Amino acid sequence: MNTVHRVVLKLSAGKAGWQAADMPVLRLTTIGRKSGEPRSVMLTSPYQEGSTIVVVASRGGDDNHPAWFLNLRDNPAVEVTYQGGPVQSMHARAATAEERERLWPLVVADHKNYAGYQTKTTREIPLVLLEATD
């Protein structure tokens, strides 16, 4: 899906591709935990709360966390391009157990695919909070 998003963005000069499955799309850039190089991935955000953007580290229900999640876990300083807007420096963190307990039902209420992904794996799929840096 990342390749499709990138092609659509390129062909439309950044005007299309910022919405998918009734969710806003964002480009998340982390620093590779092994390479030290910037790594970008296109993600959807099923829920936003104020200026906080929630993304799901589902990897389609795979038993392993996505590489971008491992990168931000090691280095929470990230850059986010939200719906084609300007690049923002943000802080990324996994939701606490209490936050996840509150947010997970809100995420899956409108986006049941995430609930399906959770049934495919024994790992608890993390919710990641992208928060503005001051």
Side-chain angles (χ1 to χ4, degrees):
M1 245 352 228
N2 272 286
T3 302
V4 171
H5 272 120
R6 291 174 199 272
V7 168
V8 169
L9 288 168
K10 186 175 183 175
L11 292 175
S12 70
K15 294 178 182 160
W18 294 106
Q19 193 78 12
D22 293 325
M23 291 181 275
V25 171
L26 61 96
R27 178 183 294 121
L28 174 70
T29 303
T30 61
I31 300 299
R33 66 194 181 288
K34 295 177 184 175
S35 69
E37 298 294 321
R39 302 288 185 220
S40 293
V41 63
M42 303 301 291
L43 301 170
T44 53
S45 174
Y47 188 74
Q48 304 81 44
E49 194 166 72
S51 63
T52 299
I53 302 168
V54 178
V55 293
V56 184
S58 63
R59 198 174 182 198
D62 193 84
D63 287 332
N64 298 306
H65 292 304
W68 61 263
F69 176 76
L70 299 174
N71 289 344
L72 67 80
R73 187 180 63 186
D74 288 2
N75 182 352
V78 299
E79 290 185 339
V80 175
T81 303
Y82 185 71
Q83 290 194 293
V87 175
Q88 299 175 347
S89 294
M90 299 187 92
H91 177 85
R93 65 179 181 83
T96 65
E98 294 80 17
E99 289 169 327
R100 188 183 186 284
E101 184 178 342
R102 179 179 66 80
L103 292 170
W104 186 256
L106 299 172
V107 167
V108 299
D110 290 330
H111 307 285
K112 299 192 184 333
N113 56 315
Y114 293 115
Y117 297 156
Q118 185 60 81
T119 65
K120 293 181 181 181
T121 183
T122 56
R123 74 177 170 96
E124 182 176 81
I125 294 176
L127 295 180
V128 174
L129 307 181
L130 303 172
E131 302 168 320
T133 57
D134 295 322

